[in-house]
Amino acid sequence: MTETAAKTAKQGLVEVRNLVKYFPVENSDDVVRAVDDVSFDILSGETLGLVGESGCGKSTVGRCLLRLYEPTSGEVLFEGEDILKLSNKELQALRREMQIIFQDPYASLNPRLNILSIVGEPLKIHKIGDKAERRERVADLLKKVGLDPNYMFRYPHEFSGGQRQRIGIARALALNPKLIIADEPVSALDVSVQAQVVNLLQDLQQEFGLTYLFISHGLAVVEHISNRVAVMYLGKIVEIAESRELYDTPLHPYTKALLSAIPIPDPKQKRERMILTGDVPTPINPPSGCRFRTRCPFAIEECARIEPELREITTGHFSACIRTEGYETAVKSL
């Protein structure tokens, strides 16, 4: 990523620099290049949407930010401090500032524990309050997410998917974090429930001054909740822009293809589809040059030779495509 792209007009709460995460392949010297040299910032108080097809590495990015996965290399700065250099004890203290909402509301709650234990567990681990104070805190959190405090004595199997996700949100809020990684928090829910949970997340953001990394493959949901959007393809970020600008004026062909697939809620209107051919290449042996070139309808010979950097094309709008207007001049000098 260029020096220009690595900076933002406003200091980021989180600054990710050249993040790499490779997974070894069993009985082989090969590695899965899940995240390969990714850089971006998350500004304090904003929601950054991270989108892309399944398997592009977006959930791995979120887990690396929390060190649920140990990155292969790179930097993750939280309020200017590189969390990858922290000891386990220092990292545990930082956990109060950074939390996650998991994708699957069925698998992310321990079926053996009641809701009081599940939501109150972070408070117990960090030795916050006595038993009565923790119970009061859990009751307050359940109210915040729209659940009856009396539900705290029930078990996960007694709740619907949407209710379980609200419990997961309450657990993430327990320690008053600054950053929440929302890892596809509505993808397993019905559409009507998705809207309720997204609206809840927005209300909580306003009330508590939260910052979100909102990971999703649902472009319509991301448009609704995000201030800025980053688009990933095969371990790389290919475009970042303000939400409105990215949806109105996408620059990268992959972004254009994703947006063309969003249904229009009007049977009389039609959107011109950009159909991608072929399968997503393997992250074990990605294509040379631009990773999207094997499926891109606009690919030229140079795309196999030049690996495009994420460059600022217009103010705040970054794209990694050598055919983007404003990028071509720079490529000629390579």
Side-chain angles (χ1 to χ4, degrees):
M1 189 172 182
T2 64
E3 188 67 19
T4 303
K7 296 179 180 178
T8 56
K10 183 181 176 182
Q11 182 71 21
L13 176 70
V14 178
E15 300 169 64
V16 179
R17 298 289 171 262
N18 308 110
L19 182 66
V20 173
K21 178 58 182 176
Y22 294 164
F23 293 98
V25 177
E26 190 174 359
N27 300 322
S28 172
D29 294 330
D30 292 330
V31 292
V32 176
R33 301 170 183 267
V35 179
D36 204 357
D37 195 19
V38 163
S39 299
F40 61 90
D41 294 337
I42 307 175
L43 308 184
S44 182
E46 80 164 345
T47 298
L48 175 67
L50 185 59
V51 302
E53 292 171 288
S54 296
C56 71
K58 54 189 186 296
S59 291
T60 303
V61 167
R63 290 169 185 248
C64 284
L65 262 59
L66 298 174
R67 276 184 64 180
L68 297 179
Y69 292 155
E70 289 292 338
T72 304
S73 64
E75 294 181 325
V76 178
L77 306 178
F78 183 82
E79 295 186 321
E81 184 175 27
D82 189 352
I83 70 168
L84 305 187
K85 296 179 179 178
L86 299 180
S87 66
N88 289 338
K89 186 176 181 180
E90 291 170 327
L91 184 61
Q92 182 175 348
L94 187 66
R95 296 279 188 217
R96 297 179 64 163
E97 309 289 349
M98 307 167 71
Q99 291 291 309
I100 185 169
I101 301 167
F102 292 100
Q103 176 180 358
D104 188 348
Y106 294 91
S108 62
L109 303 180
N110 190 332
R112 296 174 180 267
L113 299 180
N114 64 22
I115 305 312
L116 173 60
S117 298
I118 290 171
V119 178
E121 188 172 23
L123 302 170
K124 187 176 181 180
I125 289 172
H126 289 268
K127 299 178 173 60
I128 297 174
D130 57 26
K131 191 173 182 179
E133 289 170 335
R134 289 197 291 268
R135 179 171 167 176
E136 185 178 344
R137 173 66 174 158
V138 170
D140 183 57
L141 288 167
L142 292 178
K143 287 180 186 176
K144 293 290 186 187
V145 299
L147 294 175
D148 189 328
N150 293 321
Y151 289 175
M152 71 172 72
F153 302 107
R154 297 185 183 182
Y155 288 80
H157 72 272
E158 300 180 75
F159 296 91
S160 67
Q163 288 174 322
R164 291 188 195 198
Q165 199 60 293
R166 289 172 185 266
I167 293 165
I169 294 169
R171 179 176 57 186
L173 290 172
L175 299 173
N176 290 319
K178 294 179 181 176
L179 173 71
I180 290 181
I181 309 295
D183 186 8
E184 303 207 39
V186 298
S187 64
L189 306 178
D190 293 337
V191 174
S192 59
V193 180
Q194 285 184 14
Q196 294 173 15
V197 172
V198 168
N199 290 335
L200 172 63
L201 289 171
Q202 290 181 308
D203 292 341
L204 293 171
Q205 183 175 39
Q206 291 294 320
E207 183 174 354
F208 296 105
L210 298 170
T211 301
Y212 292 142
L213 175 63
F214 190 91
I215 300 167
S216 179
H217 58 259
L219 289 159
V221 174
V222 170
E223 180 183 17
H224 179 71
I225 196 172
S226 301
N227 302 105
R228 289 187 302 134
V229 178
V231 182
M232 279 194 77
Y233 182 79
L234 205 61
K236 295 273 191 181
I237 289 183
V238 298
E239 187 164 2
I240 303 178
E242 296 287 335
S243 179
R244 186 71 272 143
E245 181 170 349
L246 184 131
Y247 280 79
D248 288 345
T249 318
L251 298 179
H252 196 280
Y254 179 60
T255 309
K256 294 176 182 179
L258 290 179
L259 295 180
S260 75
I262 299 176
I264 299 175
D266 185 345
K268 296 181 180 179
Q269 292 187 28
K270 290 187 178 180
R271 178 184 280 123
E272 185 177 349
R273 285 292 309 274
M274 180 175 164
I275 306 296
L276 300 179
T277 58
D279 296 325
V280 179
T282 172
I284 296 176
N285 185 26
S288 62
C290 175
R291 296 188 176 190
F292 184 58
R293 68 177 175 81
T294 57
R295 303 174 70 201
C296 180
F298 309 111
I300 55 177
E301 211 173 289
E302 284 82 358
C303 294
R305 182 173 55 87
I306 300 168
E307 183 173 350
E309 293 182 342
L310 194 62
R311 291 178 180 266
E312 189 170 21
I313 308 304
T314 60
T315 303
H317 196 155
F318 301 86
S319 177
C321 175
I322 65 172
R323 302 205 65 186
T324 299
E325 186 178 352
Y327 198 146
E328 293 176 337
T329 303
V331 169
K332 289 177 182 177
S333 63
L334 296 176

